[in-house]
Amino acid sequence: EAGVTQSPTHLIKTRGQQATLRCSPISGHTSVYWYQQALGLGLQFLLWYDEGEERNRGNFPPRFSGRQFPNYSSELNVNALELEDSALYLCASSWRGHLLDPYEQYFGPGTRLTVT
Amino acid sequence: QQQVKQSPQSLIVQKGGISIINCAYENTAFDYFPWYQQFPGKGPALLIAIRPDVSEKKEGRFTISFNKSAKQFSLHIMDSQPGDSATYFCAAGGGSQGNLIFGKGTKLSVKP
């Protein structure tokens, strides 16, 4: 079974530009989560999508946005990039219908975003 | 109330020794406590998870101990191996928010 996939692997952007990151969940999973992993800061929750709807949002400015498509894949958009947006962006997926562990999340390899 | 505090920040253990990483949480609504292992350049991999209705869960060399009254849980790695060298994250989840709250991570180095 294929795991969570993310693209691109690396992304280099200039301050002020926009970045688009993509995620495909594990087959059968309907929830997608986005996390930011900046150096030394652990994983910070960004966004949670389930069944095409945004269900929860972390403490990030509105220039971080995203959406989930009918096939449950998702994209994260970061507008007006700032230097401190440089980080590893991780996508995770889960199946909320899992009776025992609806919170069981599986991560992709991440997209390394560098803002210069 | 949403924080998960993890310690130590880094840990050096000899091959064959026991590695112990601790986490504490504040929100009593949390009811799912996973541990993730992350190697450099990779995404975190789910290692083992526990619910608060049990005090211990063991999978191979990895054991989670859970103390509900103290709001603490820990990961024990028995017979630690150099291949276990990685960063370990504890997390907590539950209620309606869906997402996990992560600790800041522990960098484990197992010396041969």
Side-chain angles (χ1 to χ4, degrees):
Chain A
E1 180 184 280
V4 177
T5 59
Q6 292 187 244
S7 64
T9 305
H10 295 92
L11 191 57
I12 300 175
K13 292 286 186 178
T14 303
R15 190 171 56 183
Q17 287 186 318
Q18 180 199 30
T20 298
L21 289 65
R22 295 180 176 83
C23 171
S24 291
I26 291 172
S27 177
H29 285 190
T30 59
S31 272
V32 169
Y33 310 81
W34 288 95
Y35 293 87
Q36 182 195 65
Q37 187 174 27
L39 202 61
L41 292 180
L43 282 80
Q44 304 291 317
F45 167 67
L46 272 163
L47 291 158
W48 168 32
Y49 292 96
D50 183 60
E51 298 284 356
E53 300 284 333
E54 181 181 305
R55 300 297 184 183
N56 197 13
R57 181 182 185 87
N59 189 25
F60 281 84
R63 55 191 188 81
F64 287 84
S65 65
R67 54 180 171 165
Q68 186 178 35
F69 300 100
N71 66 353
Y72 303 114
S73 68
S74 175
E75 69 178 27
L76 173 69
N77 295 293
V78 188
N79 293 318
L81 284 165
E82 299 179 2
L83 295 178
E84 52 263 36
D85 296 334
S86 294
L88 181 67
Y89 288 84
L90 292 160
C91 171
S93 74
S94 72
W95 176 43
R96 299 292 289 174
H98 193 306
L99 290 177
L100 292 178
D101 281 315
Y103 307 106
E104 196 169 278
Q105 297 181 19
Y106 295 88
F107 282 83
T111 292
R112 173 72 61 186
L113 173 63
T114 302
V115 182
T116 61
Chain B
Q1 206 179 16
Q2 289 288 77
Q3 279 189 321
V4 175
K5 295 181 180 178
Q6 183 173 347
S7 63
Q9 231 177 340
S10 63
L11 182 61
I12 299 175
V13 173
Q14 289 297 122
K15 178 183 175 182
I18 303 173
S19 304
I20 301 174
I21 305 170
N22 301 298
C23 282
Y25 64 98
E26 299 170 349
N27 189 342
T28 55
F30 289 148
D31 62 357
Y32 174 71
F33 303 90
W35 284 89
Y36 284 84
Q37 178 189 58
Q38 186 177 30
F39 293 104
K42 305 287 186 183
L46 180 62
L47 202 55
I48 186 173
I50 198 168
R51 291 280 194 176
D53 52 347
V54 296
S55 60
E56 187 175 281
K57 182 175 181 180
K58 183 177 180 179
E59 288 184 5
R61 297 184 294 109
F62 300 91
T63 300
I64 299 180
S65 297
F66 186 83
N67 186 329
K68 188 174 180 179
S69 60
K71 292 187 285 186
Q72 295 175 348
F73 58 110
S74 60
L75 176 69
H76 292 64
I77 306 174
M78 312 300 288
D79 187 26
S80 298
Q81 299 296 313
D84 296 331
S85 297
T87 299
Y88 292 81
F89 293 93
C90 64
S96 61
Q97 65 182 18
N99 57 284
L100 298 173
I101 307 297
F102 282 84
K104 292 195 181 297
T106 297
K107 186 172 183 179
L108 171 66
S109 295
V110 181
K111 299 300 183 186

